[in-house]
Amino acid sequence: MSDEAPLVGEPLALDLVNTRPATGDLLTTLDGLRAWLGLQADRFPEVHDVLAHLAEEDLADVRAIREHTTEALARVRRGERPAEADLDALNHTQGAAPLINELSWNGSITTGARRRIGPPGTRLAGRLAEAAADLLSDPAVAKIRECAADGCVLLFLPAHSRRRWCSATRCGNRARVARHYQRHKTG
């Protein structure tokens, strides 16, 4: 896996924060956003509609959500109160795309499906802000770690206490190879 490939599989809000690795920003273009969203398609069903209608302002909105999430998360991880501006921005973004329980009739019973309403980009922003709110309000936020590999700034939520790297195949292998080299190099 290259360092430029997005790290995915963490909580959605962490995956969003991790789109800015030490090597640069993966969300500088609409194509970059589309590529990242394609990797997240299993997380929210409306992503295909969003992909078809993305605009530059949607990219700016996603980047703003990422910034607010990053700032709030950094403070919460240090045991500090998040800035009111970050919380307000995330709350406002969620409110711009209300979450409803959409009712329908399937021929024999009434069913409900929760979904955000509004334009596709607004729904995307609302979903990402919701993911940030979920993460920031989860007690597990205290367990989030930064990768222990030199030069890596990616965050992860470890499933077990011994996990040290964002990815065993990315930074873990690199660290193991470096240790092996140091043990076996001739002086």
Side-chain angles (χ1 to χ4, degrees), residues 124-146:
L124 170 63
R127 175 66 182 99
L128 294 174
E130 176 188 7
D134 289 345
L135 181 64
L136 289 164
S137 62
D138 187 332
V141 73
K143 297 177 184 175
I144 293 173
R145 295 186 188 161
E146 187 171 313

Side-chain angles (χ1 to χ4, degrees), residues 37 40 58 66 71 73 84 92-93 114 160 175:
L37 286 172
Q40 302 294 342
D58 301 324
R66 179 181 64 185
E71 293 300 318
L73 188 57
E84 203 63 37
H92 175 77
T93 302
R114 297 183 64 77
H160 56 80

